[in-house]
């Protein structure tokens, strides 16, 4: 079964850090570029970052540049998002998804940044 | 990183046809086309169409996408109650090397 499973979300204070993981199964993970997309409560979808299949290209949305780092381990079929200096406005469900077509999505993991 | 423009809401009757629009520019929608995603409350998004009208397997032929210039459209025929959802468009901006989403359209089936 084709599947993406996110983990690592939780409650963190402003200024804190979290590392999200996304485990892929059922498809050739190393052949796909991947993305993180987030959705704040009651809001629309927002692209956060993408990573090419080899990991050599990693664009970010402006609001997370310098704070978030996307990475991948193709040997483990895993995608990561290291989030530092978290802000209240980073509160959202974080989804991982395949690129370029966004054809496979995980169920999401909730990140809450609050004091 | 300006997003794509979608109408916030559209309402249509059962078995009618709805057309949702998504406007960008020549660097995003006008260049590589748009993807369309459907999201029901409490669920992750689901891909309906990629690069204008490539439907994944399992997506009904009632969903069809097109593009004219910098505007992409999603047409849903024979509206059913289960079509009531939020619909998002997305495209890659080739000049900025980023991905942009529309704000989403809430489709209500009356």
């Amino acid at each position: 079964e084709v599947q993406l499973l996110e983990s690592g979300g939780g409650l963190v204070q402003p200024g804190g850090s979290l590392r999200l993981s996304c485990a892929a199964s059922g498809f050739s993970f190393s052949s796909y570029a991947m993305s993180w997309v987030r959705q704040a409560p009651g809001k629309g979808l927002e692209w956060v970052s993408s990573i090419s299949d080899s990991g050599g290209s990693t664009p970010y949305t402006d609001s997370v540049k310098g704070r978030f780092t996307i990475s991948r381990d193709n040997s483990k079929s895993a995608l990561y998002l290291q989030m530092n200096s978290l802000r209240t406005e980073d509160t959202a469900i974080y989804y991982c998804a395949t690129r370029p077509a966004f054809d496979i999505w995980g169920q999401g993991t909730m990140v809450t940044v609050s004091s | 990183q300006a997003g794509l423009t979608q109408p916030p809401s559209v309402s249509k009757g059962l078995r009618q046809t709805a057309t949702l629009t998504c406007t960008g520019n020549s660097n995003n929608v006008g260049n590589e086309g748009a993807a369309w995603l459907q999201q029901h409350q409490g669920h992750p998004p689901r891909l309906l169409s990629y690069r204008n009208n490539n439907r994944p397997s399992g997506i009904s032929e009632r969903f069809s996408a097109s593009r004219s210039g910098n505007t992409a459209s999603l047409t849903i025929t024979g509206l059913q109650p289960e079509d009531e959802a939020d619909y998002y468009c997305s495209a890659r901006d080739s000049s900025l090397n980023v991905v942009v989403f529309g704000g989403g359209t809430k489709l209500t089936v009356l």
Side-chain angles (χ1 to χ4, degrees), chain A residues 37 39 43-47 50 57 59-62 65 95 99-103 105-107, chain B residues 1 35 37 39 43-47 50-51 56 88 90-92 97-103:
Chain A
V37 175
Q39 187 169 35
K43 302 297 185 181
L45 300 173
E46 180 187 22
W47 172 77
S50 292
S57 175
Y60 298 88
T61 192
D62 284 346
K65 280 181 183 175
Y95 296 102
R99 288 290 291 154
F102 282 131
D103 48 339
W105 290 73
Q107 290 298 308
Chain B
Q1 295 174 351
L37 302 156
Q39 187 180 35
H43 291 271
R46 178 177 72 147
L47 180 69
Y50 172 59
R51 283 199 177 164
Y88 295 91
S90 174
R92 190 180 80 92
N97 193 28
V98 298
V99 174
V100 288
F101 279 94

Side-chain angles (χ1 to χ4, degrees), chain B residues 8-73:
Chain B
S9 63
V10 169
S11 297
K12 288 288 185 179
L14 194 64
R15 293 181 296 276
Q16 288 189 332
T17 295
T19 297
L20 312 182
T21 60
C22 168
T23 301
N25 60 41
S26 59
N27 293 317
N28 44 59
V29 175
N31 184 21
E32 296 188 3
W36 285 93
L37 302 156
Q38 178 193 60
Q39 187 180 35
H40 288 105
Q41 182 73 24
H43 291 271
R46 178 177 72 147
L47 180 69
L48 297 176
S49 175
Y50 172 59
R51 283 199 177 164
N52 299 327
N53 202 25
N54 293 294
R55 269 192 313 271
S57 61
I59 300 301
S60 170
E61 291 180 354
R62 296 190 299 107
F63 294 92
S64 64
S66 62
R67 181 189 67 176
S68 177
N70 297 332
T71 297
S73 299

